[in-house]
Amino acid sequence: MHLLPRVLGAITAAYSIVITARPEVLARPCGLTGPTGEASAAVRTLIGGIGARDTAIGAAMVLAPYGPALRAAVAARVFSDAADAVVFGLQLPEVGRRPRIAGFALFWAALCAWSGRWASGPRVPAAVGAVRTAVAR
C-alpha cells in the first residue's frame, strides 16, 4: 500500500493532462458546455488552469521522496480537491449536477488523504529497525 500515493498521483496527472488537452472531458459532466457539446473559451481557459495545477500536484505525488515532500504533495492534492468540491458544489450553473460533482471531488480528496498514511514510505518492522540500528553502531 505504500505505493498508493504514487498511484493516485499518476492517475491525477494523467487525467489532468487529458482535461488540459480536451476540456470538454470535465466541462460536460459539470454542465459547462454549450448546445453543441463544446466548452466556451472562458471555460476552456479555467479548465486548462485546473489541469495544469493538478498535473503538477500529481507529478509531485509521483516524484517526491517519501517523507515531508510527499506528505506536502498529498496535502496539496487533498486541499485542491476539497476546494473544488466547495466551489463546484456551490457554484455550478445546474444545481442538479452539484452534489454528484462535489461528491466525486470529496471522494478523491478522502482517498488521497487516506493514502497519506503511506507518504512516509514503506514501514520497516521493529525487529529489522533494531538490527539496522545495532549494525550501524
Side-chain angles (χ1 to χ4, degrees):
M1 291 299 275
H2 70 278
L3 292 178
L4 186 58
R6 309 278 190 206
V7 171
L8 295 177
I11 293 168
T12 295
Y15 176 74
S16 300
I17 290 168
V18 169
I19 67 167
T20 300
R22 300 237 351 119
E24 288 78 15
V25 171
L26 177 60
R28 218 171 270 120
C30 292
L32 298 174
T33 55
T36 63
E38 296 292 318
S40 69
V43 169
R44 294 177 70 80
T45 299
L46 290 174
I47 290 176
I50 291 169
R53 173 199 76 187
D54 290 351
T55 299
I57 294 171
M61 289 174 67
V62 171
L63 301 172
Y66 284 104
L70 183 53
R71 286 193 299 273
V74 170
R77 175 78 266 131
V78 171
F79 180 79
S80 295
D81 285 327
D84 290 348
V86 170
V87 171
F88 285 99
L90 294 175
Q91 296 181 8
L92 282 179
E94 293 181 36
V95 175
R97 293 178 188 254
R98 292 176 183 178
R100 181 172 43 98
I101 300 302
F104 183 80
L106 284 176
F107 168 77
W108 198 254
L111 185 59
C112 288
W114 182 64
S115 81
R117 67 185 303 186
W118 293 284
S120 294
R123 303 285 190 252
V124 177
V128 173
V131 170
R132 285 185 185 167
T133 303
V135 171
R137 291 184 185 167

